[in-house]
Amino acid sequence: MAGDRITYRECIKQAIREAMLADERVFMMGEDVGHYGGAFAVSKNLLQEFGPKRIMDTPLSEAGFVGAGIGAALGGMLPIVEIMTVNFSLLALDQIANNAATLLHMSGGQFNVPLVIRMSTGIGRQLAAQHSHSWEPIFAHIPGLRILSAGTHEDARYMLAPALADPDPVIIFEYTSMLNIERGLPETKTGVDISKAKVRREGRDITIITYGTGVYKALESASELAAAGIEAEVVDLRVLRPLDEETIVASVAKTSRAFIVEDASRSVSVSSEVSARIMEKCFYDLDAPVQRLCGAEVPIPYPKHLEDASVPQPAQIVTAIKKILQHDRV
């Protein structure tokens, strides 16, 4: 049963506040997270509540403050590092890939890095090609990281706590286009298993596998398809590394068809990996080829109509799935 409606932004803020109240080792750092309240107002008023030692404004140096977060984690703190947008995360990629992800291995298991990095991702505010990409696949490629995608309000609210409890580095992708969307949360607090995908809707005819902004689009599409007599199962990957292969395989074995949706461009993407694993693990269960609907292979455009056209939309999902099912019935 859903409770009062709440924005996706407020879900993230409540999760941060709850974590800081629960453990004095938790602190947050990033560009404009303090006095300005965050580029997307996620941390508004937290500086006033927790003070400058726990809500820390940093210089405009992603490599510098991510490196400081790694050092704090090694020293026993539980840092939450906010990177303003996914595009800026590339400036910190050396710290993430060569330090955070490798120190446990390089130290022979002596040094965990309990670091959480949050970053805003994707289109939604006409921020164009240097602020709007969907680069989850880049990070999902790196061993030593756990990569999470908060594609629902429930995950935005409850994913941070288990991420902070993980002894190793976790990256949480949050979605710019969802910040102002309101939804109800379960009335009772729910835990999020950050090792498992989640079946958001049961179905029998086809499995829609997605993550991030694709989750609500897939659910909207599934409702429209149901009116046409097609029951689509929706699997929210939510853990992009390591992938929950068991849930994917179980769903596809049940429906015998798979359709993968993601905002990231098609080439060398999460959908590429999921498609390959379906072929490897349940090829003989398939009644149709695996198909994908991905973001356009372009720098994200500024105009609103082109920004929307650069990522999958529900109408495209519905049309594609009807074609798959109609082909089966010819």
Side-chain angles (χ1 to χ4, degrees):
M1 188 125 183
D4 294 339
R5 293 172 72 84
I6 184 174
T7 64
Y8 183 87
R9 173 189 290 105
E10 185 64 20
C11 289
I12 299 169
K13 179 179 178 180
Q14 288 188 9
I16 295 168
R17 185 173 181 273
E18 181 181 71
M20 297 191 70
L21 289 171
D23 193 327
E24 291 187 349
R25 295 176 298 166
V26 177
F27 72 97
M28 188 167 82
M29 63 164 66
E31 296 160 346
D32 291 333
V33 300
H35 293 281
Y36 190 67
F40 300 108
V42 166
S43 54
K44 189 176 181 181
N45 297 326
L46 292 183
L47 173 64
Q48 290 75 11
E49 182 173 1
F50 293 102
K53 291 186 178 178
R54 299 188 69 193
I55 301 291
M56 301 173 62
D57 281 320
T58 65
L60 304 182
S61 173
E62 282 75 9
F65 65 75
V66 171
I70 293 169
L74 289 168
M77 301 296 286
L78 294 175
I80 303 169
V81 175
E82 177 179 295
I83 296 178
M84 192 181 293
T85 78
V86 67
N87 292 63
F88 301 164
S89 69
L90 300 188
L91 296 164
L93 195 54
D94 177 54
Q95 290 289 354
I96 295 170
N98 284 328
N99 289 324
T102 62
L103 284 175
L104 180 65
H105 172 76
M106 299 289 286
S107 68
Q110 295 182 79
F111 302 128
N112 293 96
V113 183
L115 168 73
V116 173
I117 299 174
R118 303 171 31 251
M119 60 181 86
S120 196
T121 307
I123 70 160
R125 299 176 71 89
Q126 289 184 264
L127 297 174
Q130 294 178 323
H131 297 73
S132 307
H133 281 286
S134 297
W135 282 341
E136 296 96 325
I138 294 175
F139 293 92
H141 180 73
I142 302 171
L145 301 177
R146 182 177 298 278
I147 307 299
L148 306 180
S149 167
T152 65
H153 287 56
E154 182 182 356
D155 281 355
R157 176 64 181 86
Y158 297 116
M159 190 173 261
L160 180 62
L164 284 166
D166 194 308
D168 298 312
V170 177
I171 295 178
I172 302 177
F173 286 96
E174 300 161 353
Y175 294 92
T176 309
S177 64
M178 295 173 64
L179 287 168
N180 292 328
I181 296 176
E182 291 185 348
R183 296 285 173 118
L185 287 174
E187 289 186 343
T188 55
K189 183 177 178 179
T190 60
V192 173
D193 184 346
I194 60 169
S195 67
K196 301 291 289 183
K198 188 173 179 70
V199 177
R200 299 287 181 189
R201 178 188 175 110
E202 299 275 353
R204 64 172 186 272
D205 295 321
I206 191 166
T207 299
I208 306 174
I209 301 166
T210 189
Y211 63 92
T213 61
V215 177
Y216 287 152
K217 292 176 183 177
L219 290 170
E220 179 184 336
S221 304
S223 295
E224 186 172 339
L225 289 164
I230 297 170
E231 292 297 333
E233 182 148 302
V234 177
V235 174
D236 174 8
L237 291 173
R238 76 175 177 185
V239 187
L240 306 184
R241 184 181 185 90
L243 280 173
D244 175 14
E245 200 172 86
E246 182 181 3
T247 298
I248 297 169
V249 169
S251 180
V252 175
K254 181 172 77 169
T255 66
S256 301
R257 301 172 189 84
F259 187 71
I260 312 168
V261 179
E262 67 175 330
D263 281 1
S265 53
R266 175 185 296 253
S267 300
V268 197
S269 59
V270 172
S271 65
S272 305
E273 181 63 25
V274 172
S275 178
R277 296 203 192 192
I278 292 171
M279 300 296 186
E280 292 166 356
K281 299 293 182 179
C282 44
F283 178 80
Y284 292 105
D285 292 314
L286 291 171
D287 286 343
V290 176
Q291 294 196 31
R292 295 185 279 157
L293 180 63
C294 304
E297 307 252 354
V298 296
I300 298 298
Y302 171 77
K304 182 73 169 73
H305 67 291
L306 293 180
E307 188 185 53
D308 289 341
S310 69
V311 298
Q313 299 297 336
Q316 295 172 291
I317 299 171
V318 170
T319 299
I321 288 178
K322 283 182 176 178
K323 285 182 179 177
I324 294 170
L325 272 294
Q326 286 167 358
H327 181 271
D328 281 4
R329 291 166 184 169
V330 170

